[in-house]
Amino acid sequence: MLYNLSSILNLNLYIVYIDHHVRSNTYIEKEIIKDYATSRSIPYSFLDIYTTDFTEKTLREERYKALIKFSEKIKFNKIALGHTLDDQIETIIMSFFKGYGIEGLCGIPTKRDNFIRPIIILSKEEILEYCKRKNLKYVDDFTNLLPITLRNRIRYQLIPFLKENIPQFPQSIISQSVILSIENDLLEKLSKKYFDGLKRSNNVIEIENEGWKLLHDAIKIRVLKEIFKNFNEELSNEAIFYILREMSIMEGSKTLEIGNTEIYLYNQKIYIYKKEKHEFIIILPIPGEVKLPTGEILKAELIRNEGEPFNFKDLWHAYFDYDKIKAKELIVRNWKEGDRIEPFGLEGKSKKVQDVFVDKKIPKWKRKIIPLVTYKDKILWIPGVIRSDIAKVTNDTQTILHLSLKKEV
């Protein structure tokens, strides 16, 4: 069909065959493709997939990866797949039994990204009739006849039963998928608008709790799925219901853990963040600057003390008597359990950094990514939080060490 339309629609065609190496007789199909392509001067390629997992899901994922990679290589912008109306009906029924929600009951989309499905509105019967009229050769995949997959059982056992007992079938399934696709599109747009408006940074998503409570559960479910999808985690329906219930009753500083993701309520804001290893040790030369894993720039500079006033209340800047430090570099690392600091003004008395974080009401997710500037194994400064009592600037100070932290522009 695409070949017959190619001159009208100005199409460049390329035939790609995927060999999954599940069957031994694929050479027959390859010969048919080779003869067809050669007789019409269409370029073609045979691609191979090797996997130890022969489930339908894995083979489909590997097949799509191979097609995308090859299309990029030959610079083609559309990949036309041969899904039929029969495939559509089977997929919708499978989605119903697997509990995939409205998205699943919409069936296979006619187009998604670079994939298009030009014959998804045609039944297998219509396509075979077309092949017969056009004298086109085809091969039946014998594995489709074996009752070894859920799809095959639905195809040869359930669907014949439904056709025999429900007069409206299968048109009722198709009509329903059209209606649900329209409703799904509306929910998708509303959810996307809400999701796009959320604050995001450093694997953290921030949600206003009051606004979240006003959302309908249908939107909440989709937003949560999108959030976890961004964190490369897939949620089951049971997990979704659990999260919805727990988030509705969250109080205080309770943390909800789902896989590698944590949900934390603080100051009427919900923080959803992916737990990652944030261990880092960085050398900060004096003078000099370094870029932290968070993307922030930590800078050290030396300035002469000429009696000019400094804003010591700005916690993103810190000033020290360099003559008392005389170091060529400082060590910057993340917080660890048991760390202590000698806060400014406490005359050498120490305090647990964890207690400082609690006093400053710093969320748990943020504590591991806050840099600690250290000098001789002692914490000199925690940017944006607190400075130590070490090397205080006095009237006798000649050289000042100025430390500052800022976001990279």
Side-chain angles (χ1 to χ4, degrees):
M1 290 177 174
L2 291 175
Y3 173 75
N4 291 335
L5 290 169
S6 59
S7 59
I8 301 171
L9 301 178
N10 194 27
L11 302 177
N12 291 320
L13 302 179
Y14 199 114
I15 298 176
V16 178
Y17 175 88
I18 305 277
D19 191 341
H20 303 80
H21 293 277
V22 176
R23 297 176 284 114
S24 60
N25 64 338
T26 55
Y27 67 92
I28 300 174
E29 297 162 24
K30 291 178 180 177
E31 282 300 314
I32 291 177
I33 291 171
K34 181 180 178 181
D35 292 343
Y36 179 90
T38 303
S39 65
R40 290 163 177 77
S41 299
I42 303 175
Y44 65 93
S45 289
F46 300 141
L47 306 182
D48 297 296
I49 290 177
Y50 298 97
T51 178
T52 55
D53 183 359
F54 296 112
T55 60
E56 183 180 9
K57 180 177 182 291
T58 298
L59 291 175
R60 180 177 64 252
E61 289 174 352
E62 293 300 317
R63 181 167 63 248
Y64 280 29
K65 287 178 186 176
L67 289 170
I68 292 172
K69 185 177 180 180
F70 191 79
S71 68
E72 291 173 348
K73 178 182 176 182
I74 61 175
K75 293 181 171 56
F76 270 54
N77 61 0
K78 295 295 175 189
I79 302 170
L81 303 177
H83 292 99
T84 68
L85 187 61
D86 296 60
D87 296 320
Q88 180 73 291
I89 293 169
E90 293 160 10
T91 299
I92 291 171
I93 293 175
M94 287 175 65
S95 297
F96 172 77
F97 287 124
K98 291 183 177 181
Y100 286 168
I102 291 182
E103 297 101 316
L105 295 178
C106 291
I108 308 169
T110 305
K111 58 181 179 179
R112 175 183 288 161
D113 300 325
N114 286 350
F115 290 102
I116 59 173
R117 299 172 175 85
I119 57 174
I120 200 167
I121 60 171
L122 302 176
S123 68
K124 182 179 179 181
E125 184 180 353
E126 289 174 306
I127 291 165
L128 292 179
E129 175 60 29
Y130 180 86
C131 290
K132 184 178 179 180
R133 284 193 286 110
K134 294 289 185 176
N135 196 29
L136 296 172
K137 295 181 181 179
Y138 66 90
V139 178
D140 275 320
D141 179 355
F142 75 89
T143 61
N144 287 335
L145 302 173
L146 302 176
I148 56 177
T149 65
L150 176 61
R151 183 178 291 274
N152 286 2
R153 291 192 177 101
I154 289 174
R155 179 180 298 157
Y156 295 112
Q157 296 173 16
L158 181 57
I159 288 181
F161 171 81
L162 295 174
K163 284 182 177 178
E164 184 178 340
N165 291 276
I166 302 177
Q168 300 89 348
F169 185 87
Q171 185 55 46
S172 56
I173 291 283
I174 302 305
S175 300
Q176 175 184 257
S177 73
V178 173
I179 294 171
L180 291 177
S181 293
I182 296 171
E183 295 176 351
N184 183 65
D185 184 56
L186 172 62
L187 288 172
E188 197 66 33
K189 287 178 178 176
L190 292 174
S191 303
K192 187 177 186 304
K193 182 178 180 181
Y194 183 86
F195 178 79
D196 290 344
L198 297 177
K199 293 181 181 178
R200 279 168 278 180
S201 65
N202 298 327
N203 282 340
V204 180
I205 293 180
E206 180 183 315
I207 300 175
E208 294 289 343
N209 193 32
E210 289 303 315
W212 176 258
K213 289 180 178 178
L214 297 175
L215 280 183
H216 193 283
D217 281 354
I219 305 297
K220 289 181 181 178
I221 288 173
R222 288 168 181 264
V223 171
L224 285 172
K225 284 184 176 180
E226 190 63 30
I227 289 173
F228 278 79
K229 180 181 175 183
N230 272 252
F231 292 162
N232 295 317
E233 292 201 42
E234 193 172 331
L235 293 177
S236 64
N237 288 338
E238 290 75 16
I240 284 285
F241 299 147
Y242 171 72
I243 294 171
L244 279 179
R245 183 176 67 252
E246 291 300 312
M247 287 180 69
S248 68
I249 58 175
M250 284 183 79
E251 293 181 356
S253 58
K254 181 179 179 181
T255 299
L256 182 64
E257 294 191 21
I258 307 292
N260 290 321
T261 303
E262 289 189 2
I263 302 175
Y264 178 78
L265 175 65
Y266 168 70
N267 198 23
Q268 286 306 306
K269 289 184 180 179
I270 300 170
Y271 297 97
I272 304 179
Y273 56 99
K274 187 169 184 178
K275 293 184 291 183
E276 290 186 347
K277 291 184 178 179
H278 291 288
E279 287 82 4
F280 60 86
I281 298 178
I282 300 171
I283 295 176
L284 172 64
I286 301 175
E289 63 179 45
V290 292
K291 184 175 181 179
L292 302 179
T294 55
E296 295 162 313
I297 302 297
L298 183 59
K299 185 177 181 180
E301 61 177 337
L302 298 176
I303 55 179
R304 295 293 301 170
N305 185 9
E306 297 179 349
E308 294 183 8
F310 297 105
N311 182 8
F312 292 103
K313 293 182 180 180
D314 186 347
L315 296 177
W316 299 103
H317 294 262
Y319 304 90
F320 301 89
D321 188 334
Y322 183 68
D323 301 318
K324 296 175 183 176
I325 294 176
K326 289 294 184 184
K328 293 182 179 180
E329 59 191 28
L330 299 173
I331 302 298
V332 185
R333 62 172 175 82
N334 58 292
W335 165 67
K336 298 175 183 177
E337 294 284 348
D339 275 340
R340 302 185 73 90
I341 187 173
E342 299 172 7
F344 183 81
L346 290 188
E347 303 300 331
K349 293 181 181 179
S350 68
K351 187 174 184 178
K352 283 185 178 180
V353 173
Q354 179 173 325
D355 292 338
V356 173
F357 286 153
V358 172
D359 293 343
K360 297 285 186 177
K361 297 182 179 179
I362 294 174
K364 291 181 179 179
W365 64 264
K366 207 170 185 179
R367 298 173 189 177
K368 279 289 185 180
I369 62 175
I370 293 177
L372 276 60
V373 183
T374 67
Y375 163 68
K376 289 186 176 181
D377 294 329
K378 288 191 174 183
I379 298 172
L380 194 64
W381 179 46
I382 306 178
V385 182
I386 195 173
R387 66 151 286 168
S388 73
D389 205 51
I390 300 171
K392 292 181 288 188
V393 175
T394 67
N395 293 332
D396 297 327
T397 301
Q398 294 183 8
T399 306
I400 294 175
L401 170 62
H402 174 213
L403 300 177
S404 61
L405 184 73
K406 66 176 181 178
K407 280 283 186 182
E408 186 179 25
V409 178

